[in-house]
Amino acid sequence: MQLRIISLLTCFAGFGIVAACSVVAQNGGGSETPPAPKRKSATYTLTAGQSVALTPTATLKLERVNDSRCKTGAVCVWEGYISYSFVLTNNGNASNFVLAEKMPGGSNTATQQGLRFTLTGLEPPDPPAVHAPAPTYRVSLRVDIS
């Protein structure tokens, strides 16, 4: 009788262990981590012609750089400005916008398709010399996702 009770208890314990293992396996081994929160903003650095994926459906491309700043060593009647032309493509919809520093009527921020863009830095920070070759321009911008 005692042997039968011990066998029965061992059998139930075995079933319990198997059931517990299958629950742990279904839940990812018990070390399930919560999904990462969606990023609300990020900073990107682009050169002319370069694109970056902002979201699974949105891509930003720096189309061109316009540097009309007075060259170092030149005599100019006005200071000039630097501007950056972008194309935002989101779900097949494209929109163009310009970010600039010191451009008359321009702005260093823009909102397009629910995304806010803000210039945070530019390279080179100073205009090139009069007879120097054109530099490789880089622009840094923060993108806020709403």
Side-chain angles (χ1 to χ4, degrees):
M1 179 77 169
Q2 232 176 11
L3 186 56
R4 196 178 261 179
I5 292 173
I6 292 174
S7 296
L8 194 58
L9 288 175
T10 304
C11 185
F12 284 132
F15 284 129
I17 290 171
V18 170
C21 288
S22 68
V23 168
V24 168
Q26 288 174 358
N27 289 334
S31 62
E32 187 174 328
T33 57
K38 291 184 179 179
R39 269 198 310 199
K40 294 292 183 183
S41 70
T43 300
Y44 301 95
T45 301
L46 298 170
T47 58
Q50 188 176 13
S51 297
V52 65
L54 304 176
T55 69
T57 60
T59 303
L60 179 68
K61 180 178 182 182
L62 175 58
E63 282 285 306
R64 67 182 170 282
V65 178
N66 176 31
D67 188 358
S68 68
R69 299 175 295 176
C70 184
K71 306 281 188 233
T72 303
V75 177
C76 302
V77 247
W78 73 303
E79 182 181 16
Y81 61 86
I82 188 166
S83 65
Y84 304 91
S85 299
F86 294 94
V87 175
L88 173 64
T89 306
N90 192 359
N91 288 322
N93 299 318
S95 58
N96 300 306
F97 64 98
V98 174
L99 297 177
E101 289 200 341
K102 302 178 183 179
M103 183 173 93
S107 177
N108 66 346
T109 63
T111 301
Q112 297 286 316
Q113 300 184 32
L115 302 172
R116 182 170 175 82
F117 302 90
T118 306
L119 284 179
T120 59
L122 57 108
E123 292 177 34
D126 299 315
V130 175
H131 299 292
T136 300
Y137 291 97
R138 287 181 178 78
V139 61
S140 297
L141 65 153
R142 187 180 73 239
V143 180
D144 296 308
I145 301 168
S146 49

